[in-house]
Amino acid sequence: MRVLVVEDEEPLADAIARGLRREGMAVDVALTGDDGHEKAAVTRYDVVLLDRDLPGMSGDELCREIVASGELTRVLMLTASSSVSDRVEGLSLGADDYLAKPFAFPELVARVRALGRRATPAAPPLLTAGDVELDPAKRTVRRASGPVELTRKEFGVLEVLLQAAGSVVSSEELLERVWDENADPFTTTVRVTVMTLRKKLGEPGIIETVVGSGYRVPEPGTPQRA
């Protein structure tokens, strides 16, 4: 899941980002409304956590822009304004949810995950390829021989590849979906992660390299390339 945190209190923004990254999410941070607008214009986020009171473009205006874009991005208002009228006003702008500060972090995570499920097309309860089985809700992976322990990034890469249903996924798309804006586009991170993922999944291999294009998990009946 790709998340954008737009919050002008830098310590709070960094704390939220660190916590969500520990939950396996790819998180970018913007400290002003203008910066948030720029990031949201070039990257498709699943969820935007948005403070209403921002320097530059206001959170209300940014919310309107995101809603007007027609993207599936979901907006969670994070604000110190907690009165009923403030919540109603925030939701009337097109926000999908509203959480007043201070908040309990587990509740924030639960709300972000719920919004993330609404921001992406419905996926089957389990993603499978041969005898490999990935459970997005429980965040577990099994093969016929038993459980497979993966890091958050390895799990994310496998999930994206399985969701692609046989289509090729480029390294750039994997960086965008699984990592965040701090990832170096020229790094070997994706190649190394795929290599360790293959090793952990064992034989027969299910991840195919499509030279010059990226990676894919072929659907049943599709001949694999050498």
Side-chain angles (χ1 to χ4, degrees), residues 162-201:
L162 291 176
Q163 287 174 339
S167 298
V168 176
V169 181
S170 68
S171 295
E172 291 77 13
E173 184 176 351
L174 286 171
L175 271 176
E176 181 176 315
R177 297 278 302 280
V178 182
W179 280 265
D180 55 37
E181 64 184 354
N182 296 314
D184 182 353
F186 301 104
T187 186
T188 60
T189 296
V190 172
R191 182 173 60 81
V192 171
T193 302
V194 170
M195 181 178 65
T196 58
L197 175 58
R198 282 172 167 152
K199 188 177 299 184
K200 289 183 179 181
L201 290 174

Side-chain angles (χ1 to χ4, degrees), residues 66-84:
I66 293 172
V67 172
S69 72
E71 295 286 354
L72 291 174
T73 301
R74 301 302 179 180
V75 177
L76 170 58
M77 287 281 196
L78 273 182
T79 177
S81 304
S82 58
S83 68
V84 172

